[in-house]
Amino acid sequence: MNNKDAQALLTHIVARVQPLLSRGVLPKYIPQLTHVNQLQFGMAFITLDGQEAFVGDADVRFSIQSISKLFALMLALERVGDDLWSRVGREPSGRPFNELVQVDHEAGATRNPFVNAGALVVTDILCSCFAQPELALLQNLRLGARDERIDIDQGVMRSERGSCHRNAAIAHLLKSYGSIRNSVETVLDTYCRQCALAMTARQIARCVLPLAADDGLSVAGTRDSLKAAQRHSVVALMLTCGTYDAAGDFAARVGLPMKSGVGGGIVAVIPGVGSLCAWSPGLDESGNSIAAARAIEIFASHTGLSLLGAREWVRAAP
Ligand code: DON
């Protein structure tokens, strides 16, 4: 697909998702995120040969929230390699992202790095590797996005840190089973900082692009230092676990590896082709953006760039 066609498709998608923008809810448990204008929508598509198409609010910064779990995982894998999998599982949880009971039921084991329990363990690993893990993450993202303006939103960070009772409970439970090694406070501080990273759809798509490349090489010529097999595990986990208890449904509807966040962003990898990030704040009951999910679904069905190929029935759907 050339850039003109991609741009025309994104313009078509903005019109299609307009009726969805007022739907869904904002995440009340992070009070600062309820002040966001829900009617925003942005989307960016970047190809491995460096073409960028974007539309709407693609250059507006939003809270990346759980999309940071993907970046934290990549950094931790780069540091500790496959040893990471001895501390974090690779199975879908089939449960909400902030599930507590499963951690206790499974004696402190974590299902995967994208549910909060697994992400807290990944953050714990980063806390053991770096004095200031969030700065290491920030540096990687600025490099990947070729943009120094990426930063942590301090208001969102304080808002979540002040009310992260559920994550604190999960972290204490993990600690009681010996699954995290640093102090609970250190892990929670770092986790809330990484979740409060503010980025645009275009910046996120750029950072994820190396996951689409066989050689892990970005457009800028920077290489992610993951081995091919590690990159493949990350992409596979995005497909099976990236959208939580809705991952099976998304695999059947969209057929792309994706990672979502309660800030309303969803990023997708199109192996061998490029990356896609859509953003709109209104969330469904699983914590995934309604309009962003639909936008990526329409993109995949129109282009056939997914496991499912082109699908006329989605084209015809309202
Ligand atoms: O830990 C939390 O609950 C949030 N900081 C992130 C959750 C999230 O984004 C789940 N995504 N859909």
Side-chain angles (χ1 to χ4, degrees), residues 221-304:
T222 54
R223 182 187 295 276
D224 86 32
S225 25
L226 298 184
K227 296 195 183 83
Q230 292 171 335
R231 236 179 356 259
H232 296 158
S233 316
V234 172
V235 172
L237 276 166
M238 290 172 76
L239 183 69
T240 54
C241 312
T243 47
Y244 311 110
D245 41 334
D249 184 49
F250 275 120
R253 265 174 57 195
V254 182
L256 283 175
M258 304 196 288
K259 183 73 207 82
S260 62
V262 292
I266 305 184
V267 64
V269 175
I270 310 175
V273 177
S275 59
L276 193 59
C277 182
W279 166 62
S280 190
L283 307 176
D284 66 14
E285 58 288 349
S286 298
N288 299 309
S289 166
I290 295 174
R294 181 74 179 130
I296 294 176
E297 180 184 11
I298 296 171
F299 183 95
S301 67
H302 270 251
T303 58

Side-chain angles (χ1 to χ4, degrees), residues 127-198:
C127 289
S128 301
C129 296
F130 299 97
Q132 289 182 292
E134 64 279 5
L135 293 188
L137 210 49
L138 201 49
Q139 200 179 358
N140 260 13
L141 295 175
R142 286 176 176 165
L143 198 68
R146 290 172 275 138
D147 198 331
E148 288 294 313
R149 291 169 298 178
I150 300 171
D151 229 323
I152 294 169
D153 182 324
Q154 299 294 334
V156 171
M157 189 275 287
R158 281 192 296 271
S159 180
E160 180 167 19
R161 188 66 182 94
S163 59
C164 65
H165 308 299
R166 232 188 136 79
N167 284 332
I170 295 172
H172 278 289
L173 202 50
L174 289 168
K175 185 81 180 169
S176 78
Y177 283 109
S179 303
I180 58 178
R181 296 175 184 169
N182 296 276
S183 79
V184 164
E185 298 309 310
T186 301
V187 173
L188 285 174
D189 283 347
T190 307
Y191 176 81
C192 289
R193 288 188 195 118
Q194 79 181 45
C195 288
L197 280 159

